[in-house]
Amino acid sequence: MVVDQPVSREERRRRQAATVDQLVASGALDGVFAQVDAGQPIAGEDGLLNALLKATLERGLNVELTEHVGYETGDADASSFPNSRNGYSAKTLATEVGDVEISVPRDRDGTFTPMLVRKGQRRLDGLDGMIVSLYAGGMTIRDIQHHLISTIGTDLSHETISKITDEVSDEVITWQTRDLDALYPVIYLDAIVVKIRDGGHVINKAAHIAVGVDMDGVKHVLGIWIQEHEGAKFWAGVCAELRNRGVADVLIVCCDGLTGFAEAVEATWPQATVQTCVVHLIRASMRFVSYTDRKAVVRLLKPIYQASTEQAAADALDAFEDSDMGRKYPSAVKSFRAAWDRFIPFLTFPPELRKVIYTTNAIESLNFQLRKVTKNRGQFPNDAAAVKLLWLAICNIEDKRARERARERGKKAADRRASGRLVEGAVTTNWKRTLEQLSMVYPERIDRHL
């Protein structure tokens, strides 16, 4: 299979410039330039782009009809053909440059089915893509409606825009129910708060996002689940769903001490290690520490989570408890002691593996981006709408970053400024070394998947 090589940004510019130079040199644009100089608007209902699109679509439709009936317009032998042209019908088409009034040619037999503008089609496909992109960026349906009217003069109803965004629901369901790998060495779990309408009032619910690291070290968003109250029953359902989708085993599950999650994980994957996110634990211990004492407390906590053994960590925690800061902030000591059983597995791992499971930052960065999207929404009508937007936002973020990287392809590494993958498809740093450590810690469970 031959794969097309990506074209650099400079090459695209060169080709576009060459095409424009040819058009200018041929005089094909002289009439357009004259209209622009005379004050003719470029965009909008009466703009040149609108007129150009109208002319292009009508020309294409007439070419299609010519192929269908077998003769050109004005052909003297038209009467000898079994089918014939039969005038035009008017259609208003919503496009990226505004509403375009086009004349669609007809045939006498009524068998002409155009492909350029399909029967019943009222919008160009590009407009649907624009609407979905705006929705994924966090704009509400009413915001999109106002944006289309004010920018391109297209007035779509609230129901039409809603229908366009709802068309991706099937894709979301397919994604949420797709088959997964049999083994994920590491799964991270974190959540963001979204507002969901429930009857006559709005309540806060948690949108939980699971990210799995596969055997190649590549991260994947495994699913999104909306729940008002966390608990063992909810997490048991999530784990059962992942198991039904093919996840037979998980080595390490890193989370922020979510209620009931450890029990649910162990009921589904008895051999899995549930690890409290160290960064979340540090944040919890610092909750009531004054700003002036934060540096000192962090310095005293560091020997605990950087300890080489469980005993060394316990000694460091005792030392912190006996210190002035420990006596001043007993809540910090309490946070570590309450999470101790789910914190100490971290201390048994080698350094390379510790870096991988140290924190849920793999999805915290994603959640930060998603919060920027959801804050504009105010509220969602139901759980499905929230899941749909979050999924679209993830796709939108990754697509945007991919375009940025594509524009910089061919540049030296030092000159590249585009961000890497946020989560989906990102490769874990030093994964080969980490996988080696995992195979030493869990040889009987991981070797058969290598």
Side-chain angles (χ1 to χ4, degrees):
M1 181 179 65
V2 178
V3 179
D4 293 336
Q5 295 297 320
V7 180
S8 67
R9 189 176 187 180
E10 290 74 13
E11 178 62 17
R12 288 199 307 271
R13 285 178 173 175
R14 188 193 66 77
R15 292 180 181 179
Q16 291 170 358
T19 301
V20 170
D21 290 343
Q22 292 175 2
L23 288 172
V24 172
S26 68
L29 297 179
D30 290 349
V32 175
F33 292 154
Q35 293 184 61
V36 172
D37 293 341
Q40 178 77 16
I42 296 176
E45 183 177 349
D46 299 322
L48 293 173
L49 291 178
N50 190 298
L52 180 61
L53 181 58
K54 171 183 170 65
T56 302
L57 291 174
E58 290 180 347
R59 182 179 184 277
L61 289 169
N62 277 297
V63 169
E64 286 191 59
L65 183 61
T66 295
E67 293 179 356
H68 182 72
V69 298
Y71 67 90
E72 298 280 354
T73 302
D75 193 326
D77 297 327
S79 59
S80 63
F81 290 86
N83 195 7
S84 61
R85 298 173 182 271
N86 188 31
Y88 296 86
S89 60
K91 173 181 283 192
T92 301
L93 199 62
T95 75
E96 301 97 313
V97 298
D99 290 345
V100 177
E101 303 288 341
I102 63 173
S103 296
V104 180
R106 300 176 301 194
D107 66 324
R108 184 72 62 183
D109 293 345
T111 57
F112 176 50
T113 304
M115 299 301 294
L116 184 60
V117 180
R118 301 179 299 277
K119 288 186 176 181
Q121 183 179 357
R122 296 297 176 185
R123 303 181 306 276
L124 286 189
D125 295 338
L127 183 61
D128 287 14
M130 177 192 296
I131 291 171
V132 172
S133 179
L134 293 172
Y135 186 84
M139 293 181 68
T140 65
I141 290 176
R142 296 191 185 281
D143 289 339
I144 295 172
Q145 187 179 31
H146 176 72
H147 176 78
L148 294 178
I149 294 174
S150 59
T151 55
I152 63 176
T154 295
D155 187 5
L156 295 181
S157 68
H158 183 280
E159 292 74 16
T160 299
I161 298 174
S162 180
K163 183 179 179 180
I164 293 171
T165 59
D166 284 344
E167 289 176 356
V168 303
S169 297
D170 290 342
E171 295 182 54
V172 176
I173 293 173
T174 300
W175 172 79
Q176 186 82 347
T177 57
R178 73 195 188 281
D179 292 338
L180 301 175
D181 293 348
L183 172 67
Y184 286 91
V186 183
I187 285 181
Y188 307 96
L189 191 80
D190 206 358
I192 63 173
V193 176
V194 293
K195 296 184 182 296
I196 308 289
R197 176 162 291 281
D198 183 12
H201 57 284
V202 177
I203 61 175
N204 288 336
K205 289 189 177 183
H208 299 90
I209 301 176
V211 172
V213 181
D214 66 18
M215 287 294 293
D216 295 321
V218 179
K219 299 184 180 76
H220 304 278
V221 180
L222 305 182
I224 303 172
W225 298 269
I226 308 291
Q227 179 70 13
E228 180 180 359
H229 301 294
E230 298 171 3
K233 183 177 180 181
F234 166 66
W235 291 119
V238 170
C239 293
E241 178 182 322
L242 292 174
R243 180 64 181 262
N244 292 336
R245 290 166 59 191
V247 184
D249 193 12
V250 179
L251 303 183
I252 303 167
V253 180
C254 186
C255 60
D256 59 353
L258 300 166
T259 306
F261 188 69
E263 294 76 10
V265 168
E266 291 164 356
T268 306
W269 303 296
Q271 295 179 291
T273 299
V274 180
Q275 171 66 51
T276 294
C277 169
V278 177
V279 170
H280 278 89
L281 182 55
I282 295 172
R283 288 175 183 168
S285 65
M286 300 288 290
R287 185 171 300 153
F288 302 109
V289 177
S290 66
Y291 180 79
T292 55
D293 292 334
R294 282 180 175 267
K295 289 185 178 179
V297 173
V298 169
R299 186 170 59 253
L300 292 170
L301 291 177
K302 188 174 293 185
I304 302 174
Y305 60 85
Q306 289 187 347
S308 57
T309 64
E310 178 185 345
Q311 185 57 53
D315 293 341
L317 180 57
D318 290 339
F320 172 66
E321 186 174 18
D322 293 336
S323 68
D324 292 340
M325 288 297 172
R327 287 188 290 269
K328 185 175 181 180
Y329 300 108
S331 60
V333 177
K334 183 179 178 181
S335 295
F336 267 88
R337 295 209 181 278
W340 192 255
D341 290 342
R342 298 300 176 190
F343 162 70
I344 55 176
F346 169 84
L347 302 173
T348 64
F349 297 125
E352 290 79 11
L353 191 49
R354 285 192 185 191
K355 292 179 182 179
V356 175
I357 64 174
Y358 177 78
T359 176
T360 56
N361 275 346
I363 53 178
E364 283 187 354
S365 297
L366 174 62
N367 288 347
F368 175 77
Q369 297 293 333
L370 295 181
R371 288 188 185 97
K372 294 196 295 185
V373 173
T374 58
K375 71 178 182 180
N376 295 329
R377 300 308 305 270
Q379 63 189 43
F380 295 91
N382 49 55
D383 293 355
V387 172
K388 178 178 68 175
L389 176 67
L390 293 174
W391 177 79
L392 281 172
I394 292 172
C395 297
N396 196 43
I397 291 168
E398 297 293 5
D399 288 347
K400 181 180 179 181
R401 291 188 170 210
R403 290 193 298 271
E404 292 173 351
R405 292 193 299 273
R407 285 196 294 267
E408 294 188 350
R409 191 173 289 119
K411 290 185 177 181
K412 295 180 180 179
D415 298 331
R416 296 178 184 174
R417 298 292 181 267
S419 302
R421 294 178 182 270
L422 186 57
V423 169
E424 183 64 39
V427 179
T428 304
T429 305
N430 296 326
W431 178 249
K432 290 294 185 181
R433 180 63 174 162
T434 301
L435 190 61
E436 179 185 21
Q437 297 290 345
L438 284 170
S439 65
M440 295 173 64
V441 177
Y442 307 101
E444 71 286 351
R445 296 165 61 193
I446 199 172
D447 286 353
R448 64 176 178 271
H449 295 280
L450 291 174

